[in-house]
């Protein structure tokens, strides 16, 4: 149950960590079971075909999030971290034409994309709103094997049994696993930091080094950071119309060109710095909406917030260093792990407060740490950012991670920087603890109407211009 920084930050493809990356990963796990990890159904004959059904939010916004295509790619043997986005269309076209899967280590499997991925809008699976079932069939049409998977946010996937058997005592699990700083709450994190004279980043690093070498940690951190910046750069270069039918134009390049032209001309308004933060975030989320390579931070829908603030630190903050970027990522991951464990990062489960709200909280903490904030100031920064996203709904128009998601990431980045700045102006003492704010988000998500949680049945998703 220990959430590594590389659980929080994962390289994958857009447009959604829970609706694209999760289902692709689940399909890959199902292939592993078919290769011999599990027993087939009693009396089943030779393996011949597979099928999938999508439920809850995976059904309602599955087309907009390319969930059906993700399942197909997973069943072909592809994984989010290594998937080439430019190859997707050709792979899907070939499968549609041939109606046959050829995964490594298995016989050819019959699969018709038009029939074998069902969107079941009526049946909500009991474990989580992002549910899916995969089934395999024998040559006679009898059930060969089946499994239920839940995509619980940020690309994390659990089977039905895993979800039911999750260990609730994270603190005890960490102690048993031998992690030196097993904090399961912000209060524990602050107490351990004070008792041991350690920063949050130092404690997070020590926990990571309990499972990997320093060279592996440094290499993987560089990979994550470079992937974030590469995504920003791609988004700032590309133009055109985003896929999906809304005809949303990419705007990041145009805005960035304007900002670049204004540099050194002594004509920019002071608030133009907000435009820089917004454009970095928009560049990432335009890439995500186009199905490009992104880093879950902690989700795809919120993938622009943290890279934007990290880029802001690197390019615009006085005294920024490579070590500061490292501290930023380690600290942000520590906060993300607390939110994931004690509430949720799934828009389908708690609304966008769990996605952009969590990302803004993580980015605020990371920036505060990189700028030399104390543990108490860092916890305050995370709380301020999350507090002012509470109640935010997830209402993507047409189920696409475009409107209002692209701009929302920009505003999340601006809030993160403001939160870090406010926290650094204080001494870390404040009224509302981060733990209470996280619990409030969890409770608010439970009470929130389902139609405002990534179903496209409420909010901006139904209040759109008539065409």
């Amino acid at each position: 149950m220990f959430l590594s920084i590389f659980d929080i930050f994962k390289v994958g493809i857009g447009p959604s960590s829970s609706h694209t990356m999760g289902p692709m990963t689940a399909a890959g796990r199902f292939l592993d079971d078919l290769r011999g990890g599990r027993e087939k159904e009693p009396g089943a004959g030779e393996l011949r075909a597979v099928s999938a059904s999508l439920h809850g939010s995976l059904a309602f916004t599955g087309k907009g999030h390319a969930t059906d295509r993700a399942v197909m790619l997973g069943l072909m043997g592809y994984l989010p971290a290594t998937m080439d986005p430019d190859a997707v269309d050709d792979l899907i076209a070939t499968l549609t034409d041939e109606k046959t899967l050829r995964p490594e280590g298995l016989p050819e499997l019959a699969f018709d994309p038009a029939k074998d991925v069902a969107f079941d809008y009526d049946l909500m699976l009991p474990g989580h709103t992002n549910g899916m079932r995969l089934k395999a069939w024998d040559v006679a049409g009898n059930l060969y094997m089946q499994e239920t998977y839940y995509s619980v946010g940020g690309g994390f996937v659990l089977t039905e049994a895993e979800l039911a058997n999750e260990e609730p005592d994270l603190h005890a699990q960490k102690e048993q696993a031998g992690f030196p700083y097993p904090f399961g709450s912000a209060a524990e994190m602050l107490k351990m930091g004070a008792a041991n004279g350690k920063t949050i980043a130092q404690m997070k690093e020590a926990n990571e080094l309990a499972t990997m070498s320093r060279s592996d940690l440094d290499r993987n951190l560089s990979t994550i950071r470079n992937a974030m910046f590469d995504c920003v750069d791609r988004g700032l270069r590309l133009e055109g119309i985003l896929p999906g039918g809304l005809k949303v134009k990419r705007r990041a390049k145009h805005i960035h060109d304007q900002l670049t032209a204004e540099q050194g001309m002594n004509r920019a308004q002071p608030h133009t710095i907000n435009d820089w933060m917004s454009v970095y975030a928009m560049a990432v989320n335009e890439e995500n909406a186009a199905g490009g390579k992104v880093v879950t931070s902690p989700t795809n829908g919120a993938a622009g917030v943290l890279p934007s603030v990290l880029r802001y630190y690197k390019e615009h903050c006085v005294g920024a260093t490579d070590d500061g970027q490292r501290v930023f990522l380690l600290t942000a991951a520590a906060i993300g792990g607390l939110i994931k464990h004690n509430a949720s990062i799934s828009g389908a489960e708690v609304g966008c407060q769990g996605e952009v709200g969590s990302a803004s909280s993580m980015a605020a903490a990371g920036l505060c740490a990189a700028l030399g904030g104390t543990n108490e100031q860092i916890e305050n920064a995370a709380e301020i950012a999350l507090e002012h996203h509470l109640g935010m709904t997830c209402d993507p128009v047409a189920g696409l991670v475009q409107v209002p998601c692209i701009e929302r990431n920009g505003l999340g980045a601006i809030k993160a920087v403001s939160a870090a700045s406010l926290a650094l102006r204080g001494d870390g003492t404040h009224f509302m603890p981060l733990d209470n704010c996280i619990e409030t988000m969890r409770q608010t998500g439970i009470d929130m109407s389902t139609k405002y949680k990534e179903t496209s049945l409420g909010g901006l998703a139904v209040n759109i211009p008539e065409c």
Side-chain angles (χ1 to χ4, degrees):
M1 288 297 297
F2 168 66
L3 289 179
S4 167
I5 185 174
F6 308 113
D7 292 323
I8 296 294
F9 300 131
K10 298 187 287 288
V11 178
I13 63 170
S16 172
S17 50
S18 58
H19 290 60
T20 312
M21 289 173 58
M24 190 185 302
T25 299
R29 290 187 62 180
F30 191 61
L31 291 182
D32 288 339
D33 283 344
L34 291 175
R35 292 185 182 105
R38 278 179 42 193
E39 292 185 6
K40 61 184 179 180
E41 292 289 323
E46 183 182 350
L47 177 62
R48 181 65 185 94
V50 293
S51 64
S53 58
L54 307 175
H55 303 265
S57 182
L58 291 187
F60 283 110
T61 63
K63 281 292 184 182
H65 288 87
T67 306
D68 50 345
R69 290 160 63 92
V71 172
M72 296 174 206
L73 293 168
L75 291 174
M76 282 187 266
Y78 294 97
L79 296 173
T82 54
M83 182 73 238
D84 177 5
D86 295 331
V88 169
D89 287 343
D90 288 341
L91 290 169
I92 297 297
T94 298
L95 178 59
T96 301
D97 181 55
E98 297 181 353
K99 299 179 176 56
T100 302
L101 297 166
R102 297 179 178 86
E104 184 178 352
L106 289 169
E108 290 188 354
L109 302 173
F111 183 88
D112 185 349
K115 299 177 181 178
D116 291 326
V117 180
F119 291 81
D120 192 332
Y121 303 101
D122 298 320
L123 178 61
M124 177 81 73
L125 299 182
H128 192 279
T129 185
N130 288 336
M132 60 185 289
R133 282 181 174 155
L134 293 171
K135 296 181 179 180
W137 310 89
D138 69 10
V139 290
N142 300 313
L143 184 65
Y144 182 93
M145 187 181 293
Q146 66 175 332
E147 184 60 87
T148 298
Y149 297 94
Y150 294 105
S151 182
V152 296
F156 291 91
V157 173
L158 297 172
T159 65
E160 192 168 44
E162 288 168 345
L163 187 67
N165 293 323
E166 270 198 303
E167 172 59 59
D169 190 353
L170 181 63
H171 183 90
Q173 276 200 315
K174 285 183 175 180
E175 288 184 323
Q176 292 166 8
F179 294 101
Y181 303 103
F183 53 84
S185 68
E188 290 182 349
M189 178 180 71
L190 292 177
K191 184 178 179 180
M192 289 181 188
N196 294 279
K198 298 287 186 181
T199 67
I200 294 170
Q202 287 169 341
M203 291 189 291
K204 182 64 176 171
E205 179 182 69
N207 286 341
E208 297 291 341
L209 292 176
T211 63
M212 69 181 71
S213 68
R214 182 172 293 278
S215 61
D216 285 343
L217 175 61
D218 291 343
R219 182 179 63 255
N220 292 334
L221 277 172
S222 294
T223 296
I224 291 298
R225 181 193 61 187
N226 293 340
M228 288 180 175
F229 287 159
D230 286 347
C231 187
V232 172
D233 291 337
R234 287 196 307 272
L236 295 177
R237 288 196 306 267
L238 299 179
E239 296 178 287
I241 304 296
L242 294 173
L246 292 181
K247 299 181 180 179
V248 173
K249 292 182 179 179
R250 286 181 180 253
R251 291 180 290 161
K253 182 182 185 302
H254 177 66
I255 296 172
H256 185 254
D257 288 347
Q258 289 180 317
L259 292 170
T260 302
E262 291 171 5
Q263 284 184 313
M265 297 178 64
N266 200 29
R267 55 183 287 191
Q269 297 286 357
H271 58 254
T272 298
I273 192 61
N274 289 340
D275 298 338
W276 282 100
M277 287 183 274
S278 291
V279 80
Y280 295 148
M282 291 171 65
V284 172
N285 286 89
E286 287 175 356
E287 274 297 287
N288 180 61
K293 283 272 187 183
V294 299
V295 178
T296 61
S297 315
T299 68
N300 283 29
V305 177
L306 196 139
S308 169
V309 179
L310 185 61
R311 184 67 163 253
Y312 164 79
Y313 168 75
K314 178 178 182 288
E315 300 290 345
H316 302 273
C317 288
V318 176
T321 63
D322 286 346
D323 186 62
Q325 295 177 46
R326 193 174 191 277
V327 167
F328 185 116
L329 290 173
L330 286 164
T331 306
I335 300 302
L338 293 179
I339 297 172
K340 172 73 170 66
H341 170 56
N342 294 308
S344 175
I345 58 172
S346 168
E349 193 170 22
V350 298
C352 196
Q353 59 177 351
E355 297 206 31
V356 169
S358 297
S360 185
S361 182
M362 294 165 60
L367 179 62
C368 187
L371 293 176
T374 65
N375 287 352
E376 289 73 20
Q377 289 172 321
I378 293 164
E379 186 263 358
N380 187 18
E383 184 276 328
I384 293 171
L386 185 59
E387 181 179 56
H388 297 289
H389 284 89
L390 291 176
M392 185 177 286
T393 59
C394 185
D395 48 0
V397 175
L400 300 168
V401 192
Q402 298 179 19
V403 179
C405 316
I406 294 172
E407 289 178 351
R408 186 171 286 178
N409 275 256
L411 273 292
I414 292 169
K415 284 186 181 182
V417 174
S418 297
S421 182
L422 284 173
L424 286 166
R425 296 289 183 183
D427 62 3
T429 59
H430 57 106
F431 183 80
M432 183 61 64
L434 176 59
D435 288 329
N436 294 52
C437 193
I438 293 172
E439 173 59 17
T440 299
M441 184 179 78
R442 187 190 70 83
Q443 294 174 1
T444 303
I446 292 172
D447 293 338
M448 189 182 292
S449 170
T450 300
K451 68 181 182 180
Y452 295 115
K453 294 191 284 190
E454 208 167 10
T455 58
S456 291
L457 298 176
L460 292 175
V462 298
N463 289 285
I464 58 177
E466 293 184 8
C467 298

